[in-house]
Amino acid sequence: MADATTKLAVSSRAAEGSRAARRLRRSGRVPGIVYGGGGESVSFDADARELRLALASSGAVLDLSVDGEKATPVVLKEAQRDPVRGETVHVDLLRVRLDEAIHAVVPLELTGVEEAPGVKEGGVLEQITRELNVQALPTAIPESISQDIGEMQIGDTIALSALSAPEGVTLLDDPETVLATLSPPRLQTEVEEEIEAETELVGEGEGEGAEQVQDAEGAGSEGASSSGGE
């Protein structure tokens, strides 16, 4: 959990469109906007490296200072990333009060995967849910929530109701939401049956081809006999 905030200093800017934003990115700056908390929306740009470090170490809360003014607590609302390079190209920040709970989306991490008996037996693990909706004070929002699946057997399903939320965190999703399933391995007999079926199809195709060749040869021989008789 985040028990301390990380400072981030940014510069206000005029919203000038996508062309200006591309120029900012080329100069090592990342455009963004901060809003909410009863204040006006403010467009800004931040040093790309400082922003990356702040987001990586902040947990949930950032102390945002615009143009050197008094810092305001904010949380990351949305980060847009380049689909190829993965770099952050725009951020939306939301002003918050540290004494008021907020909603947030937190990644779900599965632990104990390799120890699960079903996995050792060749079962297929599928993580159905990767993010959880939670409510907590800004400083109590965890970077992620873990669920141990080290006891899962083949055929087991884990629902949200089995997960224990960290102290001060309320889970907002339906308790019946499926987090993960562990399905049986694909049986060797199924593979063999498929191979046998494919072999039969190929054999039938070859048989039909041979019959066609024989029919054609027979027709050719009859034609030759008729010509000789004349």
Side-chain angles (χ1 to χ4, degrees):
M1 291 186 185
D3 54 8
T5 56
T6 301
K7 298 184 182 300
L8 176 66
V10 301
S11 302
S12 61
R13 69 180 183 91
E16 299 175 340
S18 58
R19 182 174 298 179
R22 285 194 294 269
R23 287 199 298 268
L24 278 173
R25 297 183 190 108
R26 285 197 295 268
S27 67
R29 309 285 293 182
V30 177
I33 188 171
V34 58
Y35 52 86
E40 295 182 356
S41 299
V42 177
S43 296
F44 65 83
D45 60 79
D47 179 82
R49 181 176 179 277
E50 292 181 3
L51 177 64
R52 183 173 65 253
L53 294 175
L55 293 177
S57 62
S58 69
V61 183
L62 291 171
D63 267 343
L64 182 72
S65 175
V66 181
D67 295 335
E69 296 182 357
K70 182 180 178 180
T72 302
V74 301
V75 295
L76 177 66
K77 188 66 174 177
E78 182 180 5
Q80 299 176 20
R81 291 182 170 82
D82 184 280
V84 177
R85 296 187 295 273
E87 301 171 349
T88 301
V89 297
H90 190 279
V91 290
D92 287 16
L93 303 179
L94 177 67
R95 299 185 188 95
V96 295
R97 287 184 51 172
L98 300 183
D99 59 350
E100 290 185 356
I102 61 172
H103 292 183
V105 178
V106 177
L108 171 66
E109 296 182 355
L110 301 181
T111 60
V113 175
E114 296 181 357
E115 289 75 24
V119 173
K120 291 181 178 180
E121 295 171 6
V124 180
L125 176 68
E126 182 178 3
Q127 183 172 352
I128 306 299
T129 301
R130 297 186 177 276
E131 294 181 329
L132 301 173
N133 292 288
V134 304
Q135 178 176 318
L137 293 175
T139 53
I141 296 175
E143 295 184 15
S144 64
I145 295 179
S146 299
Q147 172 62 38
D148 184 12
I149 64 165
E151 301 297 325
M152 282 190 78
Q153 304 280 349
I154 289 178
D156 284 353
T157 295
I158 290 185
L160 183 63
S161 56
L163 189 151
S164 298
E167 184 179 355
V169 177
T170 301
L171 302 174
L172 301 178
D173 296 305
D174 187 334
E176 299 303 315
T177 298
V178 175
L179 304 183
T181 61
L182 190 50
S183 304
R186 195 178 185 193
L187 299 179
Q188 183 65 26
T189 54
E190 293 180 359
V191 177
E192 292 175 351
E193 288 175 359
E194 288 185 4
I195 294 175
E196 184 178 347
E198 292 176 358
T199 303
E200 289 177 356
L201 289 175
V202 171
E204 290 176 0
E206 291 177 348
E208 292 175 356
E211 290 177 0
Q212 292 174 358
V213 170
Q214 290 176 356
D215 291 343
E217 290 177 349
S221 298
E222 291 177 0
S225 299
S226 299
S227 298
E230 291 177 357

